[in-house]
Amino acid sequence: GDTNNDWNINVQDVIQIVDLIMSTTDDIPADVLPQADMDGNGFINVLDVVNLVQSILGNPRTSFTLSEQEQLQLQLRRLNRKF
């Protein structure tokens, strides 16, 4: 969910999770893991991004600017290239 602790679940959280997945280190901050592990399996992976995106898109109070939509698409393309 709210991986950057700004009290909002949004594209910035997606970016942070994608960055964690794409990084070459396994050193994930302890306060980020529970927020980023959307499916609760103890790992941060593509399924967590999918769950977060679905959560954001399913929230009727969420609105996206064009820039945020572009950022979301960019992060999804990054994941597609890796996997």
Side-chain angles (χ1 to χ4, degrees):
D2 184 18
T3 58
N4 61 2
N5 296 316
D6 67 353
W7 297 96
N8 293 301
I9 298 176
N10 54 31
V11 174
Q12 297 304 315
D13 300 303
V14 173
I15 292 169
Q16 187 170 8
I17 294 176
V18 170
D19 286 343
L20 288 170
I21 293 170
M22 301 293 285
S23 74
T24 56
T25 181
D26 291 331
D27 188 26
I28 298 169
D31 62 326
V32 173
L33 181 60
Q35 299 298 327
D37 184 16
M38 295 293 294
D39 58 8
N41 68 356
F43 302 99
I44 298 175
N45 55 35
V46 176
L47 294 177
D48 298 307
V49 175
V50 170
N51 286 332
L52 180 58
V53 169
Q54 287 176 339
S55 174
I56 293 169
L57 295 176
N59 183 349
R61 289 185 263 161
T62 302
S63 62
F64 290 106
T65 65
L66 182 57
S67 174
E68 290 172 325
Q69 290 174 1
E70 291 168 348
Q71 277 293 325
L72 186 56
Q73 291 173 352
L74 174 67
Q75 298 308 313
L76 294 174
R77 282 194 300 272
R78 283 179 65 201
L79 286 173
N80 281 335
R81 283 193 298 265
K82 181 166 181 160
F83 298 101

